[in-house]
Amino acid sequence: MSDAIAERIAKIRPQLPPSVRLIAVTKQVSVAAIRSAYGAGIRDFGENRIQEAETKQDQLQDLEDITWHLIGHLQSNKAKKALELFSWIHSVDSLKLFQRLEQLAAELSCQPEILLQVKLRSDPNKHGWTIPELMADLPVLNQGHHLRIRGLMVIPPAAQKDEEILAIFHQGRELADKIKQQNWSNIEMEQLSMGMSADYPLAVQAGATMVRLGQIIFGERVN
Ligand SMILES: *Cc1c(COP(=O)(O)O)cnc(C)c1O
């Protein structure tokens, strides 16, 4: 199994520009498989559930240079735990959650790196800011002093054609560039987290700086 994981990683790497950060998504993946990916050079790992991440991190404490990324929806009551477990949170998806995290980060004196999750098509299954909502909230987001806003996360709705997915990714890139041009003092827009196993080449084409890959590295999830 470990050979297969290392081989898949070795195949994907050369397809990514050196500036693109590969985040291995390990939801439902065993600790042994995570160790294999680590052995193949991966240092960024993504999880979407707090409890699952905590259990695994406990068993991986010897791998000290892992950076953990939270990529799934975060409920306010788990926000404190999230700050303890993750140095990046890609899925900050509302002003309310942002403000809760900002308050907790002040209390814990930590400075997590966060991305703002945007929703570029209406999708009842997805969280995130619409473009007008985000533009309206920027002045308030700019007042955060503990959370370090580094960019955006984009997730297209399921089952779209490549053309449509590419259009959404381009829109994500344009939105990040537009916000960047506004020169906010506390909002950076250098990072764009988009692209999963099925669509990461399109995301890279549109200017992603982080891709979140699960199944293409670890094999199909059964759920
Ligand atoms: C599960 C998940 C991924 C990885 O999806 P794969 O199809 O396994 O590559 C990426 N991003 C988010 C937000 C996810 O929940």
Side-chain angles (χ1 to χ4, degrees):
M1 179 184 75
S2 80
D3 281 359
I5 289 170
E7 269 170 35
R8 292 187 198 122
I9 291 169
K11 251 185 229 157
I12 296 162
R13 269 267 181 245
Q15 300 171 31
L16 301 174
S19 58
V20 172
R21 199 155 162 179
L22 167 53
I23 298 166
V25 174
T26 49
K27 59 189 185 200
Q28 298 171 44
V29 166
S30 72
V31 166
I34 295 176
R35 286 188 184 278
S36 299
Y38 183 93
I42 301 286
R43 292 295 178 271
D44 291 283
F45 290 89
E47 286 280 344
N48 67 340
R49 293 221 164 87
I50 300 296
Q51 181 58 57
E52 186 179 340
E54 187 174 27
T55 307
K56 288 178 187 167
Q57 287 186 24
D58 272 348
Q59 298 171 60
L60 294 165
Q61 282 177 28
D62 55 308
L63 308 182
E64 287 173 3
D65 57 347
I66 289 183
T67 299
W68 290 98
H69 301 252
L70 179 64
I71 60 171
H73 177 61
L74 176 59
Q75 289 163 346
S76 274
N77 62 347
K78 294 182 181 160
K80 182 157 184 263
K81 197 83 216 172
L83 290 177
E84 290 165 4
L85 295 173
F86 295 93
S87 40
W88 281 81
I89 302 179
H90 295 222
S91 43
V92 178
D93 54 20
S94 70
L95 190 59
K96 194 165 162 249
L97 178 60
F98 176 88
Q99 288 173 323
R100 180 73 187 129
L101 288 167
E102 174 66 22
Q103 181 192 8
L104 288 165
E107 287 169 24
L108 299 167
S109 329
C110 63
Q111 294 198 302
E113 316 208 61
I114 68 156
L115 302 177
L116 306 172
Q117 183 176 343
V118 292
K119 189 163 69 166
L120 299 174
R121 296 290 182 276
S122 77
D123 182 348
N125 298 317
K126 289 280 185 297
H127 299 271
W129 275 272
T130 64
I131 295 179
E133 287 165 353
L134 182 61
M135 297 319 278
D137 284 346
L138 288 174
V140 186
L141 293 165
N142 191 52
Q143 286 165 22
H145 291 286
H146 292 85
L147 304 184
R148 290 185 287 178
I149 304 177
R150 303 292 307 274
L152 304 178
M153 175 164 80
V154 174
I155 307 176
Q160 302 289 312
K161 291 194 183 115
D162 279 6
E163 263 168 48
E164 170 65 358
I165 293 172
L166 187 58
I168 292 171
F169 287 156
H170 276 303
Q171 212 179 347
R173 168 44 75 194
E174 281 160 20
L175 178 61
D177 290 346
K178 181 175 163 189
I179 295 170
K180 193 175 156 179
Q181 279 162 15
Q182 296 181 339
N183 284 315
W184 296 95
S185 52
N186 286 321
I187 301 174
E188 275 183 36
M189 278 290 136
E190 302 302 329
Q191 300 297 327
L192 199 46
S193 168
M194 52 187 199
M196 321 202 315
S197 293
D199 56 21
Y200 72 94
L202 301 174
V204 169
Q205 190 184 327
T209 65
M210 296 172 146
V211 293
R212 309 177 308 271
L213 305 184
Q215 303 185 77
I216 199 168
I217 295 174
F218 299 106
E220 229 174 291
R221 275 188 306 275
V222 277
N223 52 2

